[in-house]
Amino acid sequence: MVTASSLLNTWSVVNPSLTSPNKPRRVKRRAGMAFASVGSSENPCLGIKVTHGQGNLPKVILTSSHGSEAELYLFGGCVTSWKVANKDFLFVRPDAVFNGQKPISGGIPHCFPQFGPGPMQQHGFARNMNWSIVNSENVEGNPIITLELKDGPYSRSMWDHTFQVLYKVTLDKRTLSTELKVTNTDQKPFSFTTALHTYFSASVTGASVRGLKGCKTHNKDPDPKNPIEGQEERDLVTFPGFVDCIYLNAPSKLHLDNGLGDTILIENTNWSDTVLWNPHLTMEASYKDFVCVENAKIGQVQLEPEQSWTAIQLLSVA
């Protein structure tokens, strides 16, 4: 696993437009990973800045010409902030650590190649690894950045496969879109499950999700190890207490009322399932301030060598 300190010492020009044409370009690659240089001179019109975040971890700031802003950390490939009109619609827990050793608790963490518990550590390893920047562009004032994750000794100690994951993040005036593409670069097939564990800022007593009525459910309350199968009968799903429920074959559009006066449209392509989660009193310090609405792929995705799987999430403020 590449450490945060080694990442800060790694320089790479991942896109010529990220570097001032009047300054020399320095390129160095380490462990097969390329990183944009922290504190380098970027073209401000791109709306992309690489800087130091909490815990001195490398952070990318995306700024749209329309005024919206997003932040993501290369550790975990984790989007931690999405602001429209200076209001942040994502939530990072107060107990989150930024030490490059534990996953960042909040924003949009990755669950890959395993959602939940299983033969490897909880939610897999993608949220515990450094991602690299492989491309950036700006389309009509909207910054776009693509991150990459590849296998290494750390991942292969848990999951002995070679792979490539590309994560494209696009910021628009009132939308944040992410495209996840998993490619099997191995010589043998593999399977995986995955999710985007999105934390939304919310008032939990007023939050609700519309669009899940009729879905088959696996409810992990009260016993996470023995989910209760059922069917959602409510038009509006609320968070009255501990909530940990999987909705299978969920619709491609959901509406989240965050209880703070905002409605967020959650759209997706190829994320077949939805997970709702709120820890209630098991996380007393912060449970009132967020809800998780997670796009997920609960069933195994099987990929033959050179095959790819792609899923898109689009978040919009109504």
Side-chain angles (χ1 to χ4, degrees), residues 218-286:
H218 285 180
N219 193 346
K220 296 185 178 182
D221 180 31
D223 185 358
K225 295 182 179 180
N226 295 287
I228 300 171
E229 294 187 11
Q231 183 172 311
E232 183 56 70
E233 302 294 343
R234 294 170 292 178
D235 289 316
L236 289 178
V237 181
T238 57
F239 299 81
F242 178 80
V243 174
D244 190 355
C245 190
I246 295 171
Y247 292 80
L248 300 176
N249 297 316
S252 60
K253 288 186 179 181
L254 299 175
H255 291 84
L256 168 65
D257 181 338
N258 64 9
L260 300 171
D262 310 291
T263 299
I264 300 168
L265 177 61
I266 304 171
E267 299 177 88
N268 83 81
T269 301
N270 217 26
W271 289 108
S272 59
D273 312 301
T274 296
V275 181
L276 301 188
W277 181 71
N278 182 271
H280 198 51
L281 296 178
T282 63
M283 203 171 291
E284 194 167 2
S286 60

Side-chain angles (χ1 to χ4, degrees), residues 112-113 159 182 190-194 297 299-303 309:
F112 176 85
W159 198 57
V182 180
F190 63 62
S191 60
F192 64 90
T193 58
T194 184
K297 192 71 174 178
Q300 294 281 342
V301 177
Q302 178 84 13
L303 290 182
W309 175 87

Side-chain angles (χ1 to χ4, degrees), residues 6-301:
S6 66
L7 188 155
L8 287 169
N9 293 324
T10 306
W11 290 74
S12 173
V13 178
V14 294
N15 186 320
S17 60
L18 276 179
T19 306
S20 168
N22 299 319
K23 293 191 176 184
R25 297 171 181 169
R26 300 173 59 194
V27 177
K28 184 177 181 181
R29 298 183 185 275
R30 180 174 298 172
M33 305 178 82
F35 298 93
S37 56
V38 176
S40 62
S41 175
E42 296 94 5
N43 185 342
C45 73
L46 278 176
I48 298 173
K49 180 180 180 181
V50 184
T51 185
H52 296 273
Q54 294 188 57
N56 219 29
L57 294 177
K59 179 178 72 172
V60 181
I61 301 175
L62 305 179
T63 306
S64 168
S65 63
H66 307 291
S68 57
E69 184 176 284
E71 297 181 0
L72 62 151
Y73 281 77
L74 297 187
F75 178 73
C78 185
V79 178
T80 54
S81 176
W82 168 44
K83 294 179 181 178
V84 176
N86 294 317
K87 184 173 186 177
D88 204 333
F89 290 92
L90 299 181
F91 181 80
V92 175
R93 286 166 26 191
D95 62 340
V97 293
F98 292 80
N99 60 8
Q101 303 299 317
K102 294 183 178 181
I104 298 171
S105 299
I108 311 179
H110 290 274
C111 303
F112 176 85
Q114 173 186 287
F115 173 75
M120 66 186 79
Q121 64 191 17
Q122 176 84 356
H123 292 323
F125 49 71
R127 61 182 190 156
N128 296 74
M129 296 179 68
N130 290 309
W131 296 55
S132 60
I133 300 171
V134 293
N135 192 40
S136 63
E137 56 185 312
N138 190 290
V139 177
E140 298 180 351
N142 302 314
I144 305 170
I145 195 161
T146 302
L147 306 185
E148 180 186 52
L149 182 69
K150 288 187 174 182
D151 56 281
Y154 176 71
S155 69
R156 288 195 296 270
S157 69
M158 289 174 271
W159 198 57
D160 191 20
H161 297 284
T162 60
F163 64 88
Q164 179 198 51
V165 179
L166 294 176
Y167 189 53
K168 182 179 180 180
V169 180
T170 303
L171 179 68
D172 204 334
K173 182 178 181 180
R174 302 183 70 83
T175 65
L176 178 74
S177 69
T178 62
E179 178 183 293
L180 186 72
K181 181 179 180 181
V182 180
T183 300
N184 183 351
T185 59
D186 212 329
Q187 296 181 348
K188 58 183 182 292
F190 63 62
S191 60
F192 64 90
T193 58
T194 184
L196 296 178
H197 199 313
T198 309
Y199 288 71
F200 291 98
S201 292
S203 172
V204 72
T205 55
S208 63
V209 178
R210 180 187 296 274
L212 292 169
K213 185 176 181 179
C215 289
K216 182 179 179 180
T217 59
H218 285 180
N219 193 346
K220 296 185 178 182
D221 180 31
D223 185 358
K225 295 182 179 180
N226 295 287
I228 300 171
E229 294 187 11
Q231 183 172 311
E232 183 56 70
E233 302 294 343
R234 294 170 292 178
D235 289 316
L236 289 178
V237 181
T238 57
F239 299 81
F242 178 80
V243 174
D244 190 355
C245 190
I246 295 171
Y247 292 80
L248 300 176
N249 297 316
S252 60
K253 288 186 179 181
L254 299 175
H255 291 84
L256 168 65
D257 181 338
N258 64 9
L260 300 171
D262 310 291
T263 299
I264 300 168
L265 177 61
I266 304 171
E267 299 177 88
N268 83 81
T269 301
N270 217 26
W271 289 108
S272 59
D273 312 301
T274 296
V275 181
L276 301 188
W277 181 71
N278 182 271
H280 198 51
L281 296 178
T282 63
M283 203 171 291
E284 194 167 2
S286 60
Y287 81 91
K288 295 179 182 179
D289 300 320
F290 74 89
V291 296
C292 286
V293 184
E294 310 168 33
N295 276 316
K297 192 71 174 178
I298 301 300
Q300 294 281 342
V301 177

